[in-house]
PDB file of all heavy atoms in Angstrom:
ATOM      1  N   VAL A 134      -0.450  -2.237   8.971  1.00  0.00           N
ATOM      2  CA  VAL A 134      -0.559  -3.312   7.991  1.00  0.00           C
ATOM      3  C   VAL A 134       0.692  -4.176   8.096  1.00  0.00           C
ATOM      4  O   VAL A 134       1.807  -3.677   7.942  1.00  0.00           O
ATOM      5  CB  VAL A 134      -0.721  -2.759   6.559  1.00  0.00           C
ATOM      6  CG1 VAL A 134      -0.868  -3.888   5.558  1.00  0.00           C
ATOM      7  CG2 VAL A 134      -1.900  -1.799   6.480  1.00  0.00           C
ATOM      8  N   ALA A 135       0.509  -5.463   8.361  1.00  0.00           N
ATOM      9  CA  ALA A 135       1.644  -6.360   8.607  1.00  0.00           C
ATOM     10  C   ALA A 135       2.436  -6.718   7.353  1.00  0.00           C
ATOM     11  O   ALA A 135       3.625  -7.028   7.431  1.00  0.00           O
ATOM     12  CB  ALA A 135       1.158  -7.640   9.282  1.00  0.00           C
ATOM     13  N   GLY A 136       1.788  -6.686   6.200  1.00  0.00           N
ATOM     14  CA  GLY A 136       2.488  -7.072   4.979  1.00  0.00           C
ATOM     15  C   GLY A 136       1.567  -7.026   3.786  1.00  0.00           C
ATOM     16  O   GLY A 136       0.425  -6.572   3.876  1.00  0.00           O
ATOM     17  N   ILE A 137       2.091  -7.525   2.682  1.00  0.00           N
ATOM     18  CA  ILE A 137       1.362  -7.482   1.424  1.00  0.00           C
ATOM     19  C   ILE A 137       1.596  -8.795   0.686  1.00  0.00           C
ATOM     20  O   ILE A 137       2.679  -9.381   0.783  1.00  0.00           O
ATOM     21  CB  ILE A 137       1.808  -6.260   0.594  1.00  0.00           C
ATOM     22  CG1 ILE A 137       0.876  -6.006  -0.583  1.00  0.00           C
ATOM     23  CG2 ILE A 137       3.271  -6.372   0.173  1.00  0.00           C
ATOM     24  CD1 ILE A 137       1.041  -4.627  -1.199  1.00  0.00           C
ATOM     25  N   ALA A 138       0.569  -9.253  -0.012  1.00  0.00           N
ATOM     26  CA  ALA A 138       0.661 -10.506  -0.773  1.00  0.00           C
ATOM     27  C   ALA A 138       0.262 -10.245  -2.213  1.00  0.00           C
ATOM     28  O   ALA A 138      -0.503  -9.328  -2.495  1.00  0.00           O
ATOM     29  CB  ALA A 138      -0.247 -11.573  -0.167  1.00  0.00           C
ATOM     30  N   PHE A 139       0.799 -11.060  -3.102  1.00  0.00           N
ATOM     31  CA  PHE A 139       0.408 -10.986  -4.503  1.00  0.00           C
ATOM     32  C   PHE A 139       0.447 -12.383  -5.082  1.00  0.00           C
ATOM     33  O   PHE A 139       1.157 -13.270  -4.580  1.00  0.00           O
ATOM     34  CB  PHE A 139       1.287 -10.009  -5.303  1.00  0.00           C
ATOM     35  CG  PHE A 139       2.754 -10.132  -5.029  1.00  0.00           C
ATOM     36  CD1 PHE A 139       3.541 -11.025  -5.726  1.00  0.00           C
ATOM     37  CD2 PHE A 139       3.351  -9.337  -4.066  1.00  0.00           C
ATOM     38  CE1 PHE A 139       4.895 -11.142  -5.472  1.00  0.00           C
ATOM     39  CE2 PHE A 139       4.707  -9.444  -3.800  1.00  0.00           C
ATOM     40  CZ  PHE A 139       5.473 -10.350  -4.515  1.00  0.00           C
ATOM     41  N   ALA A 140      -0.353 -12.588  -6.133  1.00  0.00           N
ATOM     42  CA  ALA A 140      -0.451 -13.909  -6.746  1.00  0.00           C
ATOM     43  C   ALA A 140      -0.921 -13.784  -8.185  1.00  0.00           C
ATOM     44  O   ALA A 140      -1.770 -12.950  -8.486  1.00  0.00           O
ATOM     45  CB  ALA A 140      -1.409 -14.797  -5.968  1.00  0.00           C
ATOM     46  N   PRO A 141      -0.388 -14.645  -9.057  1.00  0.00           N
ATOM     47  CA  PRO A 141      -0.874 -14.675 -10.437  1.00  0.00           C
ATOM     48  C   PRO A 141      -2.215 -15.402 -10.510  1.00  0.00           C
ATOM     49  O   PRO A 141      -2.467 -16.328  -9.743  1.00  0.00           O
ATOM     50  CB  PRO A 141       0.209 -15.459 -11.172  1.00  0.00           C
ATOM     51  CG  PRO A 141       0.759 -16.376 -10.121  1.00  0.00           C
ATOM     52  CD  PRO A 141       0.684 -15.606  -8.832  1.00  0.00           C
ATOM     53  N   HIS A 142      -3.053 -14.967 -11.430  1.00  0.00           N
ATOM     54  CA  HIS A 142      -4.333 -15.634 -11.682  1.00  0.00           C
ATOM     55  C   HIS A 142      -4.417 -15.914 -13.174  1.00  0.00           C
ATOM     56  O   HIS A 142      -4.982 -15.140 -13.939  1.00  0.00           O
ATOM     57  CB  HIS A 142      -5.506 -14.767 -11.209  1.00  0.00           C
ATOM     58  CG  HIS A 142      -5.539 -14.630  -9.725  1.00  0.00           C
ATOM     59  ND1 HIS A 142      -6.245 -15.487  -8.924  1.00  0.00           N
ATOM     60  CD2 HIS A 142      -4.910 -13.768  -8.895  1.00  0.00           C
ATOM     61  CE1 HIS A 142      -6.057 -15.146  -7.661  1.00  0.00           C
ATOM     62  NE2 HIS A 142      -5.250 -14.113  -7.620  1.00  0.00           N
ATOM     63  N   ASP A 143      -3.784 -16.998 -13.572  1.00  0.00           N
ATOM     64  CA  ASP A 143      -3.850 -17.456 -14.956  1.00  0.00           C
ATOM     65  C   ASP A 143      -3.884 -18.976 -14.926  1.00  0.00           C
ATOM     66  O   ASP A 143      -3.810 -19.579 -13.857  1.00  0.00           O
ATOM     67  CB  ASP A 143      -2.704 -16.900 -15.809  1.00  0.00           C
ATOM     68  CG  ASP A 143      -1.330 -17.315 -15.326  1.00  0.00           C
ATOM     69  OD1 ASP A 143      -1.225 -17.976 -14.280  1.00  0.00           O
ATOM     70  OD2 ASP A 143      -0.345 -16.988 -15.999  1.00  0.00           O
ATOM     71  N   LEU A 144      -4.006 -19.596 -16.055  1.00  0.00           N
ATOM     72  CA  LEU A 144      -4.212 -21.045 -16.104  1.00  0.00           C
ATOM     73  C   LEU A 144      -2.951 -21.838 -16.399  1.00  0.00           C
ATOM     74  O   LEU A 144      -3.014 -23.053 -16.542  1.00  0.00           O
ATOM     75  CB  LEU A 144      -5.284 -21.367 -17.153  1.00  0.00           C
ATOM     76  CG  LEU A 144      -6.653 -20.744 -16.859  1.00  0.00           C
ATOM     77  CD1 LEU A 144      -7.623 -21.042 -17.990  1.00  0.00           C
ATOM     78  CD2 LEU A 144      -7.193 -21.222 -15.530  1.00  0.00           C
ATOM     79  N   THR A 145      -1.813 -21.171 -16.465  1.00  0.00           N
ATOM     80  CA  THR A 145      -0.570 -21.846 -16.812  1.00  0.00           C
ATOM     81  C   THR A 145       0.521 -21.495 -15.808  1.00  0.00           C
ATOM     82  O   THR A 145       0.393 -20.526 -15.064  1.00  0.00           O
ATOM     83  CB  THR A 145      -0.101 -21.421 -18.218  1.00  0.00           C
ATOM     84  OG1 THR A 145       0.123 -20.005 -18.207  1.00  0.00           O
ATOM     85  CG2 THR A 145      -1.139 -21.767 -19.283  1.00  0.00           C
ATOM     86  N   PRO A 146       1.614 -22.251 -15.811  1.00  0.00           N
ATOM     87  CA  PRO A 146       2.768 -21.822 -15.029  1.00  0.00           C
ATOM     88  C   PRO A 146       3.392 -20.600 -15.696  1.00  0.00           C
ATOM     89  O   PRO A 146       3.143 -20.329 -16.875  1.00  0.00           O
ATOM     90  CB  PRO A 146       3.702 -23.029 -15.069  1.00  0.00           C
ATOM     91  CG  PRO A 146       3.241 -23.877 -16.190  1.00  0.00           C
ATOM     92  CD  PRO A 146       1.818 -23.525 -16.475  1.00  0.00           C
ATOM     93  N   GLY A 147       4.193 -19.865 -14.959  1.00  0.00           N
ATOM     94  CA  GLY A 147       4.815 -18.685 -15.533  1.00  0.00           C
ATOM     95  C   GLY A 147       5.830 -18.065 -14.609  1.00  0.00           C
ATOM     96  O   GLY A 147       6.239 -18.663 -13.604  1.00  0.00           O
ATOM     97  N   GLN A 148       6.206 -16.842 -14.947  1.00  0.00           N
ATOM     98  CA  GLN A 148       7.224 -16.130 -14.179  1.00  0.00           C
ATOM     99  C   GLN A 148       6.986 -14.632 -14.302  1.00  0.00           C
ATOM    100  O   GLN A 148       6.475 -14.157 -15.318  1.00  0.00           O
ATOM    101  CB  GLN A 148       8.612 -16.477 -14.718  1.00  0.00           C
ATOM    102  CG  GLN A 148       9.735 -15.807 -13.966  1.00  0.00           C
ATOM    103  CD  GLN A 148      11.091 -16.311 -14.412  1.00  0.00           C
ATOM    104  OE1 GLN A 148      11.263 -17.477 -14.732  1.00  0.00           O
ATOM    105  NE2 GLN A 148      12.057 -15.419 -14.427  1.00  0.00           N
ATOM    106  N   PHE A 149       7.354 -13.903 -13.252  1.00  0.00           N
ATOM    107  CA  PHE A 149       7.357 -12.444 -13.322  1.00  0.00           C
ATOM    108  C   PHE A 149       8.435 -11.909 -12.396  1.00  0.00           C
ATOM    109  O   PHE A 149       8.918 -12.595 -11.507  1.00  0.00           O
ATOM    110  CB  PHE A 149       5.986 -11.836 -12.998  1.00  0.00           C
ATOM    111  CG  PHE A 149       5.459 -12.117 -11.621  1.00  0.00           C
ATOM    112  CD1 PHE A 149       5.795 -11.322 -10.538  1.00  0.00           C
ATOM    113  CD2 PHE A 149       4.585 -13.179 -11.416  1.00  0.00           C
ATOM    114  CE1 PHE A 149       5.282 -11.579  -9.274  1.00  0.00           C
ATOM    115  CE2 PHE A 149       4.062 -13.440 -10.160  1.00  0.00           C
ATOM    116  CZ  PHE A 149       4.408 -12.640  -9.086  1.00  0.00           C
ATOM    117  N   ALA A 150       8.816 -10.658 -12.652  1.00  0.00           N
ATOM    118  CA  ALA A 150       9.743  -9.932 -11.782  1.00  0.00           C
ATOM    119  C   ALA A 150       8.993  -8.711 -11.262  1.00  0.00           C
ATOM    120  O   ALA A 150       8.197  -8.103 -11.980  1.00  0.00           O
ATOM    121  CB  ALA A 150      10.984  -9.511 -12.557  1.00  0.00           C
ATOM    122  N   ILE A 151       9.261  -8.357 -10.000  1.00  0.00           N
ATOM    123  CA  ILE A 151       8.552  -7.252  -9.366  1.00  0.00           C
ATOM    124  C   ILE A 151       9.546  -6.415  -8.569  1.00  0.00           C
ATOM    125  O   ILE A 151      10.463  -6.957  -7.950  1.00  0.00           O
ATOM    126  CB  ILE A 151       7.389  -7.794  -8.494  1.00  0.00           C
ATOM    127  CG1 ILE A 151       6.494  -6.684  -7.986  1.00  0.00           C
ATOM    128  CG2 ILE A 151       7.905  -8.655  -7.358  1.00  0.00           C
ATOM    129  CD1 ILE A 151       5.185  -7.186  -7.370  1.00  0.00           C
TER     130      ILE A 151
END
Side-chain angles (χ1 to χ4, degrees):
V134 181
I137 192 164
F139 45 87
H142 292 269
D143 61 356
L144 299 176
T145 61
Q148 181 173 324
F149 61 86
I151 189 168

